[in-house]
Amino acid sequence: MIFVLGATGKIGRALVPALLDTGAAVRALTRDPAKARIDSRAEVVQADLDTADLPALLDGADRVFVLTQGHSADREAAIARAAARAGATHLVKLSTTGVHFGQTDPITRAHAEAEQAIREAGPVWTILRPGAFMDNRFAWVGSIRDGNAVYVPEGDPASALVHVRDIAAVATLALTTSDHEGATYELTGGEALTTEQQVATLAGALGRPVKYVEEPESAARERMTRMYGWPVEAVDGFFALKRESAEHEHVVFDTVERLLGRPPLTFADWAGENAAAFPYHYRG
Ligand SMILES: NC(=O)c1ccc[n+]([C@@H]2O[C@H](COP(=O)([O-])OP(=O)(O)OC[C@H]3O[C@@H](n4cnc5c(N)ncnc54)[C@H](OP(=O)(O)O)[C@@H]3O)[C@@H](O)[C@H]2O)c1
């Protein structure tokens, strides 16, 4: 049985059905099964990783997809140790390209430490290091809805955004075949686009122009705390990571194409699939 942590998240939502489609038995974790909308072929388990009895939770798991929120290396180390004690044979950890580039921001450092804990836990391991997700652009829903505009911090870098379905497809290979044991994979899309090009691509999918507005970091911070309700520490963490990742975000890795035997999904694919999520409520 494959135990998927983060089963209702951006990658988890794509990963659970992809694993089930291979015929694998899947156990999916959520804190709230009533809201979770998990594929009905999976066994759903309710638990909160903040309070769960990890050995009991991981009992019976042969392979574990380790994705957690909050960037706690201690938590992922405890999961890895409990999985090993429960007899798991393979751990697949979701990390970040920042580790490859040696970034020292707190989010990347936590991933680097957690990777080490996974490698030392005992079971064989595979590390997946994606770059920035295309799904991050759902952050534009509110400003498009309210003003058909996208506000971008000045100096936003070109980014080789990756589609979460490609990450899930690689995770599926790692979790269902034995060819990826001891491997560390950097995962990006196939091309780097500036944020302005991303907005233009999305506008093309929406069939209407969308305003592209660059703003100073202070205004971007204000928007994130006031409009999106992010805690100040989360905004600090985001900009610390952004400052360090800016010079690497354009780098394209060929891993997705090499492993999947097809080109990565494009931002145009993503925009076309998700256009309906970006309505504009004109208040003229
Ligand atoms: N976004 C990017 O561009 C990017 C790039 C590289 C790496 N990453 C990494 O991707 C990882 C996850 O990303 P995300 O923040 O976007 O989250 P996400 O995977 O979209 O969602 C978080 C998941 O974690 C579960 N979860 C949260 N707290 C939990 C708890 N206390 N107990 C059990 N389950 C819990 C949620 O399940 P329920 O709500 O159903 O309980 C949900 O399934 C992070 O490690 C991040 O560093 C992100």
Side-chain angles (χ1 to χ4, degrees), residues 4-13 29-33 35-36 38 47-52 57 65-71 75-76 93-98 107-108 111 128-136 161-162 164 167 241:
V4 178
L5 310 184
T8 63
K10 300 176 193 81
I11 297 169
R13 277 235 178 271
L29 178 69
T30 177
R31 288 166 296 177
D32 189 351
K35 287 203 203 131
I38 291 171
D48 187 325
L49 289 171
D50 290 339
T51 51
L57 184 64
F65 181 66
V66 182
L67 179 154
T68 70
Q69 230 176 7
H71 304 113
R75 166 147 65 192
E76 292 198 357
K93 164 162 169 61
L94 196 284
S95 180
T96 167
T97 44
I107 292 176
T108 302
H111 275 304
L128 307 183
R129 293 174 173 167
F133 302 170
M134 294 179 188
D135 273 13
N136 294 350
L161 297 174
V162 61
V164 289
I167 304 171
L241 183 146

Side-chain angles (χ1 to χ4, degrees), residues 3-249:
F3 192 14
V4 178
L5 310 184
T8 63
K10 300 176 193 81
I11 297 169
R13 277 235 178 271
L15 177 59
V16 169
L19 289 171
L20 289 162
D21 288 346
T22 71
V26 174
R27 180 180 289 169
L29 178 69
T30 177
R31 288 166 296 177
D32 189 351
K35 287 203 203 131
R37 297 179 293 108
I38 291 171
D39 191 309
S40 59
R41 296 171 292 170
E43 174 199 356
V44 177
V45 171
Q46 192 279 331
D48 187 325
L49 289 171
D50 290 339
T51 51
D53 173 354
L54 291 177
L57 184 64
L58 288 151
D59 189 39
D62 303 310
R63 295 176 172 214
V64 184
F65 181 66
V66 182
L67 179 154
T68 70
Q69 230 176 7
H71 304 113
S72 162
D74 287 347
R75 166 147 65 192
E76 292 198 357
I79 290 169
R81 285 192 301 269
R85 275 200 301 277
T89 57
H90 191 167
L91 307 177
V92 175
K93 164 162 169 61
L94 196 284
S95 180
T96 167
T97 44
V99 182
H100 171 85
F101 291 116
Q103 288 176 209
T104 57
D105 58 277
I107 292 176
T108 302
R109 278 209 316 270
H111 275 304
E113 256 182 66
E115 282 190 10
Q116 197 52 31
I118 297 273
R119 291 193 182 96
E120 289 169 359
V124 296
W125 49 267
T126 309
I127 308 289
L128 307 183
R129 293 174 173 167
F133 302 170
M134 294 179 188
D135 273 13
N136 294 350
R137 298 323 185 210
F138 282 125
W140 296 343
V141 165
S143 64
I144 288 184
R145 183 193 56 226
D146 298 338
N148 205 35
V150 169
Y151 298 87
V152 179
E154 284 167 357
D156 216 35
S159 184
L161 297 174
V162 61
H163 198 303
V164 289
R165 259 205 328 278
D166 283 345
I167 304 171
V170 171
T172 299
L173 279 183
L175 287 160
T176 58
T177 70
S178 51
D179 303 337
H180 307 281
E181 296 172 356
T184 300
Y185 294 131
E186 285 73 29
L187 305 173
T188 64
E191 61 179 345
L193 296 179
T194 64
T195 318
E196 193 165 10
Q197 288 170 320
Q198 296 162 33
V199 173
T201 302
L202 180 58
L206 299 180
R208 62 174 192 270
V210 172
K211 268 176 286 177
Y212 169 81
V213 185
E214 291 190 6
E215 62 184 7
E217 182 178 315
S218 55
R221 281 177 173 273
E222 154 87 1
R223 180 179 307 284
M224 290 163 100
T225 43
R226 188 175 44 85
M227 283 180 54
Y228 308 152
W230 285 33
V232 173
E233 315 80 68
V235 175
D236 286 346
F238 172 82
F239 279 102
L241 183 146
K242 230 174 156 38
R243 262 189 294 281
E244 292 217 26
S245 68
E247 60 185 288
H248 315 301
E249 279 201 35

